[in-house]
Amino acid sequence: MTPSTTPSPDHTATGAPRPGGPGLLAGHTVSRVGFGAMQLERLHAEHDAAIALLRRAVELGIDHIDTAQFYGNGLANGLITEALSPADGVIVVTKVGADPDPTGPQPLRPAQRPEQLRASVEDNLKSLGTDQLTVVNLRRLDDGPGLRAEGDQVVDLDDQLAVMMAMRDEGKIGAIGLSGVNLDTLRRALPAGIVCVQNAYSLVARDNEDMLELCVAQGIAWVPFFPLGSAFPNLPKVTDQPTVRAAAQALGATPSQVGLAWLLQHAPNVLLIPGTASVEHLESNVAAGKITLDDATLATLDISQHAVQEAR
């Protein structure tokens, strides 16, 4: 799915203003507020609602969607393929490194071996109905909550990058990103030409600040997941912070919008992919791209964040 026209920096191929303004991803200009497709799984029994949600995202100016074949065991990719056309000019980014495991203790299992990465790329190509995936993120299991590799799933980074670069040379992949990595892994991977990094990151979870700074210096897009804090128990949430709530009240915004706006202002290479199954929440996320936090508010939020970090 590639643009059929060349959009202006501030507008998409459909003529809609880009929410959050323009950002760069693998040489493509995209909306800084995008959409994460994982929550489409919640609409597995509401096909028309899922299609309408994706169409509304395009209408609102979103032209960057993050997905994976393992989201709903192909459900998200199938909906994206049905809902979007090349004329929409949407950059679809996918990821590999896990496979669906519907009957397992977790819905996913690691798929880190080179032959599994290749198989996942082929599955994404098929389900997205394209000859080339614009960006594919290698979901390592070095950092963040969730899966961890064990046994034959502990694979050296060089072996994984070798197969990813081979597929890029073959034209199956346009560019390579990383997800769930630590600083050492990113540094080792830089010679492969990394275009984006997806890690857990938010106002209340800034353990990866050094990685973000490296990405800024290298011109690599920073695409945080859990942008409002973790959904896992006992981990902080941005929307629970008193200073965030106070800022939201002062601005006539929601705490979620303040958390997203903070990310957009914190670094120029941030691209957001908040997910939702609700058109109302989608519109609220897009509106966060118009919010500007003044210096005093930013300073207050940063001070409160340090207190949260120290308490963790």
Side-chain angles (χ1 to χ4, degrees):
M1 297 178 185
T2 54
S4 59
T5 61
T6 302
S8 69
D10 295 324
H11 293 78
T12 68
T14 64
R18 286 194 165 99
L24 286 177
L25 177 61
H28 300 276
T29 303
V30 297
S31 56
R32 292 189 72 201
V33 179
F35 176 74
M38 185 171 67
Q39 295 297 325
L40 291 175
E41 295 180 48
R42 294 164 53 192
L43 298 174
H44 68 277
E46 302 176 62
H47 172 271
D48 291 349
I51 296 297
L53 180 68
L54 288 165
R55 290 308 310 165
R56 183 60 178 148
V58 172
E59 292 171 1
L60 291 168
I62 288 174
D63 60 359
H64 169 211
I65 292 180
D66 178 81
T67 186
Q69 174 65 17
F70 53 76
Y71 288 169
N73 199 7
L75 174 68
N77 280 5
L79 290 168
I80 289 168
T81 302
E82 181 180 350
L84 305 184
S85 74
D88 295 320
V90 175
I91 298 300
V92 177
V93 177
T94 189
K95 63 179 68 65
V96 296
D99 281 340
D101 190 15
T103 62
Q106 299 187 63
L108 298 177
R109 61 174 178 268
Q112 296 281 297
R113 297 195 306 272
E115 67 272 17
Q116 292 174 309
L117 300 179
R118 180 173 284 276
S120 291
V121 165
E122 296 291 350
D123 287 343
N124 277 281
L125 286 166
K126 183 177 180 180
S127 61
L128 289 170
T130 185
D131 295 327
Q132 184 183 79
L133 302 169
T134 305
V135 180
V136 177
N137 287 312
L138 168 59
R139 178 70 168 95
R140 288 277 296 183
L141 306 176
D142 304 331
D143 188 61
L147 295 176
R148 284 291 181 269
E150 298 177 350
D152 67 354
Q153 289 297 316
V154 179
V155 182
D156 187 78
L157 174 67
D158 291 343
D159 293 335
Q160 293 177 317
L161 289 176
V163 71
M164 297 292 286
M165 289 188 290
M167 289 187 286
R168 187 177 59 191
D169 292 343
E170 295 162 16
K172 297 179 184 294
I173 293 174
I176 300 168
L178 295 173
S179 177
V181 295
N182 56 37
L183 183 59
D184 179 64
T185 298
L186 174 57
R187 284 173 172 157
R188 287 179 57 197
L190 287 178
I194 302 303
V195 300
C196 62
V197 171
Q198 286 188 4
N199 267 24
Y201 183 83
S202 71
L203 176 64
V204 295
R206 289 171 59 181
D207 299 334
N208 290 316
E209 199 72 29
D210 288 347
M211 242 189 303
L212 171 55
E213 292 174 2
L214 178 58
C215 287
V216 171
Q218 294 288 329
I220 295 170
W222 183 257
V223 189
F225 61 83
F226 294 153
L228 296 175
S230 178
F232 285 77
N234 303 318
L235 292 177
K237 295 179 176 60
V238 172
T239 53
D240 289 341
Q241 307 309 308
T243 51
V244 173
R245 291 180 173 275
Q249 184 174 11
L251 290 165
T254 68
S256 294
Q257 288 175 326
V258 170
L260 296 177
W262 178 86
L263 284 164
L264 289 173
Q265 287 185 234
H266 184 62
N269 62 332
V270 168
L271 302 178
L272 300 181
I273 49 168
T276 181
S278 159
V279 170
E280 181 182 0
H281 288 160
L282 174 70
E283 293 172 347
S284 177
N285 292 340
V286 165
K290 296 181 179 179
I291 294 174
T292 299
L293 306 175
D294 61 30
D295 290 343
T297 300
L298 288 171
T300 300
L301 292 172
D302 280 335
I303 291 170
S304 69
Q305 172 271 323
H306 288 304
V308 172
Q309 291 285 104
E310 290 175 1
R312 288 172 63 190

